[in-house]
Amino acid sequence: MIRHPERLHTVRERIASACARSGRDPASVRLLAVSKQQDAAAIRALQGLGQLEFGENRLQEAVEKQAFLEDLPLTWHFIGPVQSNKTKDIATRFAWVQSVDREKVLQRLDAQRPDALPALNVCLQVNIDHEPQKAGVAPEAVAELAALAARLPRLRLRGLMCIPALTEDEARTRDSFRRLAALAEDLRARGHRLDTLSMGMSGDLELAVECGSTLVRVGTDLFGPRMN
Ligand SMILES: *Cc1c(COP(=O)(O)O)cnc(C)c1O
């Protein structure tokens, strides 16, 4: 708990240096604290240091923690696999869903987003390296899915998200990030007004920022190791 200020400071510094190296404004990169497998007290500690956006990848776990944190003005992002039977709770309890990769889920989230809430912010998750075991829409199919998302009134398409293939080879990771950035450019050329490129985690956030990330998702380097 005592280490949260240093960790947050270090992560912010890493983002700022990557921005400086690539001539970017540090304010153009948001930090999402990935709080999966961390407890509500850890979230509260980071909130006390000014961190307001948190990401969770399991609905049940998120709901339990949200119940303890209702007094705080937090913005919740869902970043895990979206099962269709969970869309109603996700559409009700989150401001963002970054992991949408199929039509059925888009349609259900739109239909189930409560009218009293603003449109649900959506990023399409792209399987940027065509990994068979990994979630995400294939790069070739992104444009079609984006067109559908843009037509749904209770959703607001904000951008793209990816988790590149695990590799020690920085050049390959950089290439994956560049291809995601290019896909977002292609969607802009088709008329989509996207402002979010969600890429970069604890191990590769500098590379992601250098390739144009506007939102890095950091768990381990902010909270320490996850409890299992
Ligand atoms: C867990 C997770 C992260 C954070 O990973 P760290 O390596 O702990 O920073 C980011 N994005 C997604 C989708 C995750 O599931």
Side-chain angles (χ1 to χ4, degrees), residues 1-160:
M1 195 103 59
I2 225 131
R3 312 191 57 143
H4 285 132
E6 294 142 52
R7 287 202 171 107
L8 182 61
H9 179 75
T10 304
V11 169
R12 284 185 177 149
E13 286 290 308
R14 287 170 61 194
I15 295 170
S17 339
C19 283
R21 278 198 299 280
S22 39
R24 297 186 57 193
D25 176 359
S28 66
V29 183
R30 278 153 62 199
L31 173 60
L32 178 70
V34 176
S35 47
K36 63 186 187 194
Q37 294 169 59
Q38 305 290 348
D39 59 19
I43 296 173
R44 192 173 284 277
L46 267 198
Q47 185 274 337
L49 301 167
Q51 175 66 34
L52 297 179
E53 296 194 84
F54 291 87
E56 291 281 340
N57 70 338
R58 291 206 196 105
L59 179 66
Q60 194 50 44
E61 181 190 333
V63 167
E64 284 165 20
K65 286 185 262 186
Q66 286 173 342
F68 287 106
L69 299 164
E70 271 167 359
D71 56 312
L72 303 180
L74 305 180
T75 299
W76 292 99
H77 294 235
F78 193 79
I79 60 170
V82 183
Q83 295 161 272
S84 353
N85 63 344
K86 303 282 171 62
T87 49
K88 184 156 195 259
D89 282 327
I90 293 172
T92 307
R93 295 167 176 277
F94 288 80
W96 287 71
V97 184
Q98 295 199 17
S99 41
V100 178
D101 63 2
R102 59 192 198 277
E103 184 177 328
K104 184 180 178 191
V105 164
L106 276 177
Q107 262 152 355
R108 291 177 65 95
L109 290 171
D110 175 66
Q112 294 169 334
R113 178 68 168 174
D115 285 331
L117 296 177
L120 180 64
N121 298 295
V122 164
C123 289
L124 302 178
Q125 180 174 354
V126 181
N127 187 354
I128 196 67
D129 292 312
H130 300 91
E131 294 172 276
Q133 81 288 2
K134 201 168 262 179
V137 58
E140 305 73 43
V142 171
E144 196 185 334
L145 201 60
L148 171 65
R151 284 198 300 274
L152 297 173
R154 304 295 299 135
L155 304 184
R156 184 166 164 215
L157 179 63
R158 299 295 293 268
L160 303 178

Side-chain angles (χ1 to χ4, degrees), residues 34 36 57 79 161 163 200-203 217-221 226:
V34 176
K36 63 186 187 194
N57 70 338
I79 60 170
M161 183 270 259
I163 308 170
M201 317 199 299
S202 292
R217 311 178 308 269
V218 181
T220 312
D221 285 358
R226 287 185 269 274

